[in-house]
Amino acid sequence: MVRLIGRAYDALLYGMAWLAGLLMVAMMATIFIDVVARNLGYQSSAHFFTFSEYALLAIPCLGAPWLVRERGHVYVEILLSWLAPARRRMLLRAIGILCVAVCAILAWYGGAITVQDFLRAEKDVRSFDMPRWIVVGFIPLSFGMMALEFLRFTLRGEDFLAAQPERESGRV
Amino acid sequence: MEWYWVAALLFGLAVGLMLLGVPVAIAFFATNIVAAFALMGGASGIAQVVNNGFGAMTFFALVPIPMFLLMGELYYHTGLASRMFNAIDQLMGNVPGRLAYVTVAGGTGFAALSGSSMGSTALLGSLMVPEMMKRGYSKYLSMGPIMGTGGLAVIIPPSALAVLLATLGQIDVGALLIAGVVPGLVLATMYGVLIFGWTVLDPKAAPSYHVAPVRLVHKLKLVALDILPMFLVIVLVIGVMVAGWATPTEAAGIGCVGVLALAVCYRCLSWGSFRRAVDGALRVTVMAFLIIFGSATFSQILAFTGGSSGLIRWATDFQLTPFGMLLVMLGVILFLGCFMDQLSMMLLTSPIFFPLAKTLGFDPIWFGLIMLLALEIGYTTPPFGLLLFVLKGVAPPGTTMRDIYLAGMPFIACVLLLIALIIVFPPIATWLPNLSH
């Protein structure tokens, strides 16, 4: 049963990252269609604009738990690299606990805002009236899962900070 | 609470947590939570952090960040970057120090299209350093140009970092992007002159070797097939902005489609390369947006509690000349750059520096560009500039950090010289944006 829940959770985490990637590609496509249509004299849709704005929120929220799993967070390694292994492990554990606490607090308050928006039927007014809880809801989902990911690393005593920077490409 | 306690709490906590090794985004969130709880009415202050983050992230002007990142990753993973690089290599002929020039020319092109300093440095480092070492180049001449051109990516458009800085500083995104063109080219030229002087003074640093001659027809073919189309994508991105066909935000999406179309034309777009490109772009986008999420509250608390205005008043009370203040601001960025990444530096300094620059009567685009250049130096400043570690990761075994520090120095000097030139001749930065308006 536990294994099944674990698999379902992993599928959710990676599925969310896939969806984030898909949204990024969709954003590119909608911008291209919008610009071409407008310059050819056709009426462009304000919904494209709204879609991009919501995608900007959804992409990082859907991808953030996956980034923790992939040890993709940027950090300053001055102190950590100087510490002896035992002390480094201790500090990492303390950092892990802090990360769990911070993400859990934001998930909690994000959740409270989402519920409040739902109960009050708040609308986010852009090119159309979007129920606000649907978009704000990405925030507690994301931070809640980030807290779980940090907790997972911390309980296992694993290093959640990659030996940086080692990626071949791609950083701002 | 007095403004200086607020400033000390915000900056002290954020920097302290970062130095401890807390992930940068989490360090900002933790600072925001503590400050919001203490200064913005307890629990309702924390709820405000979430609401601010929501507002900051659903902001259309941020679209270029994922788009430029995707564009650069597509360019890299589809092999278009290597293609342009090989073409430049063949075109260079038998010039002394040719591989160093190839690095600068190819690196400038790659930097322009990728907008990623780390990606650019990693690619050039793994491609060029082994080749240059094999040909007997000095380790300093092998690694220096790579760090230099890696840093060019942040100023030559399209640059995701420029978009972020413009957003944080609330200045015209398109104007800042366009402002980077001339200084970027000037900097690449300065690197070329530096390499020329280096090889003249120390010919052993770049021993000449025989290169098979390339026929003119073949050279023309290389230019037409492997360089011109890549160049056209850059022209496309800048052109649609300048011509007013698309906003700077939309131009990023157009550039992305441009690279994708090129990859299709060259038949180098595979599912694997596309997936890797999206994966790479997603990692950085998530990181950048988490920091933006935190930035909204960070600057709001600074403003709300009088921290920003207090700091600005305090700084201006020293009665330094505007030039003196500019030097102080540059000094702060260079100092932070020794141990901090660019996003964090921007987030810490923008809420203070841009209003301060406005008070001092600086042109915001001119100031933004100088700040970008300083951030670029921060990338290669010992002991912890991130590019230094990227290069260490791809350099041959036996390369020490000291070698890498020394190799980067002449190129850092070039950027400092460029900053001095822009201060003395502001049109280097402002001429093109003014023209496009």
Side-chain angles (χ1 to χ4, degrees):
Chain A
M1 184 65 182
V2 174
R3 188 175 288 180
L4 196 69
I5 294 172
R7 275 192 192 163
Y9 173 76
D10 283 353
L12 177 67
L13 184 131
Y14 287 106
M16 280 164 58
W18 264 86
L19 188 57
L22 198 67
L23 281 174
M24 202 184 277
V25 177
M27 194 197 285
M28 172 185 77
T30 52
I31 290 171
F32 181 72
I33 293 167
D34 189 26
V35 171
V36 171
R38 196 174 62 227
N39 283 289
L40 289 176
Y42 295 101
Q43 179 77 34
S44 107
S45 170
H47 296 331
F48 283 149
F49 191 85
T50 304
F51 165 76
S52 292
E53 288 192 326
Y54 286 142
L56 285 174
L57 173 76
I59 290 167
C61 286
L62 293 171
W66 165 78
L67 192 71
V68 179
R69 172 76 62 98
E70 297 277 307
R71 298 179 167 93
H73 272 272
V74 180
Y75 68 102
V76 178
E77 62 172 346
I78 302 176
L79 186 64
L80 285 166
S81 63
W82 283 345
L83 288 177
R87 284 179 190 270
R88 180 184 154 91
R89 269 197 302 278
M90 270 174 61
L91 180 58
L92 268 176
R93 183 154 288 206
I95 294 172
I97 293 167
L98 177 73
C99 291
V100 174
V102 166
C103 292
I105 289 172
L106 290 174
W108 177 262
Y109 282 94
I113 293 172
T114 307
V115 171
Q116 190 180 306
D117 285 346
F118 176 73
L119 294 175
R120 290 182 185 171
E122 295 274 359
K123 298 270 190 277
D124 187 49
V125 182
R126 300 193 187 219
S127 66
F128 57 92
D129 293 353
M130 172 72 114
R132 195 170 186 268
W133 68 270
I134 294 179
V135 273
V136 173
F138 280 113
I139 296 173
L141 172 71
S142 178
F143 281 101
M145 286 178 71
M146 279 169 77
L148 279 179
E149 284 303 304
F150 280 121
L151 185 66
R152 188 173 152 271
F153 278 119
T154 310
L155 289 179
R156 289 181 179 181
E158 287 176 12
D159 190 343
F160 51 85
L161 300 171
Q164 73 169 359
E166 61 176 12
R167 273 174 31 71
E168 281 188 335
S169 74
R171 203 160 292 208
V172 177
Chain B
M1 195 186 281
E2 293 294 335
W3 68 265
Y4 42 84
W5 289 117
V6 175
L9 173 74
L10 281 170
F11 290 103
L13 199 57
V15 173
L17 288 175
M18 273 188 236
L19 290 181
L20 275 176
V22 176
V24 170
I26 303 292
F28 278 120
F29 290 143
T31 308
N32 282 340
I33 288 172
V34 172
F37 192 81
L39 305 164
M40 290 172 71
S44 60
I46 302 177
Q48 192 60 34
V49 173
V50 177
N51 279 322
N52 285 340
F54 172 73
M57 278 156 77
T58 50
F59 183 40
F60 192 70
L62 295 173
V63 164
I65 295 174
M67 292 297 99
F68 283 158
L69 290 168
L70 183 58
M71 179 177 163
E73 294 283 342
L74 279 169
Y75 183 58
Y76 175 70
H77 287 291
T78 54
L80 288 171
S82 306
R83 218 184 152 102
M84 184 182 76
F85 223 83
N86 292 336
I88 292 173
D89 184 33
Q90 290 185 56
L91 288 173
M92 203 54 80
N94 263 320
V95 185
R98 64 184 296 280
L99 289 176
Y101 289 115
V102 170
T103 305
V104 171
T108 305
F110 180 68
L113 274 159
S114 76
S116 162
S117 295
M118 302 265 276
S120 186
T121 304
L123 173 77
L124 295 173
S126 51
L127 267 179
M128 299 306 293
V129 175
E131 180 67 14
M132 286 199 263
M133 297 295 232
K134 196 172 87 187
R135 299 286 182 190
Y137 277 51
S138 87
K139 53 192 170 191
Y140 303 117
L141 189 58
S142 304
M143 293 183 293
I146 292 171
M147 279 185 279
T149 43
L152 272 175
V154 301
I155 55 166
I156 298 186
S159 157
L161 202 70
V163 177
L164 200 54
L165 183 70
T167 310
L168 290 174
Q170 297 179 342
I171 59 176
D172 187 338
V173 175
L176 186 61
L177 281 171
I178 293 169
V181 174
V182 177
L185 295 176
V186 170
L187 189 57
T189 311
M190 281 160 75
Y191 290 160
V193 172
L194 173 68
I195 294 165
F196 176 76
W198 198 328
T199 51
V200 168
L201 292 172
D202 180 16
K204 282 185 196 158
S208 56
Y209 60 93
H210 178 70
V211 180
V214 180
R215 287 169 55 205
L216 182 66
V217 180
H218 186 62
K219 281 186 178 177
L220 291 174
K221 201 174 147 192
L222 283 171
V223 172
L225 285 181
D226 291 345
I227 295 180
L228 215 54
M230 320 295 177
F231 183 68
L232 283 177
V233 175
I234 304 173
V235 173
L236 176 76
V237 171
I238 301 173
V240 292
M241 277 194 271
V242 174
W245 294 336
T247 63
T249 315
E250 294 167 335
I254 303 288
C256 221
V257 174
V259 173
L260 210 54
L262 267 187
V264 171
C265 291
Y266 285 102
R267 296 182 180 188
C268 54
L269 182 69
S270 63
W271 171 243
S273 60
F274 185 71
R275 199 182 55 76
R276 282 193 297 277
V278 175
D279 178 295
L282 185 61
R283 282 168 193 267
V284 193
T285 302
V286 171
M287 194 66 243
F289 275 72
L290 284 178
I291 292 179
I292 292 168
F293 189 104
S295 80
T297 304
F298 191 82
S299 44
Q300 193 194 37
I301 295 173
L302 261 179
F304 173 75
T305 55
S308 303
S309 52
L311 270 170
I312 292 167
R313 228 180 12 256
W314 173 73
T316 45
D317 276 353
F318 283 108
Q319 308 226 319
L320 289 174
T321 58
F323 177 67
M325 280 308 300
L326 181 66
L327 288 185
V328 171
M329 288 191 271
L330 284 177
V332 170
I333 295 176
L334 296 186
F335 171 71
L336 290 177
C338 297
F339 53 86
M340 206 173 266
D341 71 285
Q342 291 166 312
L343 287 175
S344 318
M345 278 192 278
M346 274 166 42
L347 179 51
L348 281 173
T349 56
S350 297
I352 305 298
F353 284 7
F354 277 97
L356 188 55
K358 201 174 164 188
T359 311
L360 295 167
F362 294 157
D363 179 320
I365 301 301
W366 172 84
F367 177 72
L369 198 77
I370 290 179
M371 202 161 154
L372 267 181
L373 284 166
L375 289 166
E376 180 190 326
I377 298 178
Y379 240 19
T380 44
T381 318
F384 299 106
L386 281 177
L387 288 189
L388 303 169
F389 291 97
V390 177
L391 200 55
K392 178 81 167 71
V394 293
T399 308
T400 63
M401 281 315 286
R402 186 174 171 276
D403 293 336
I404 296 175
Y405 294 159
L406 289 174
M409 288 299 174
F411 294 86
I412 291 179
C414 283
V415 184
L416 285 172
L417 181 61
L418 178 63
I419 291 178
L421 281 174
I422 294 174
I423 291 172
V424 178
F425 306 109
I428 295 175
T430 55
W431 169 73
L432 205 54
N434 286 341
L435 197 72
S436 67
H437 277 77

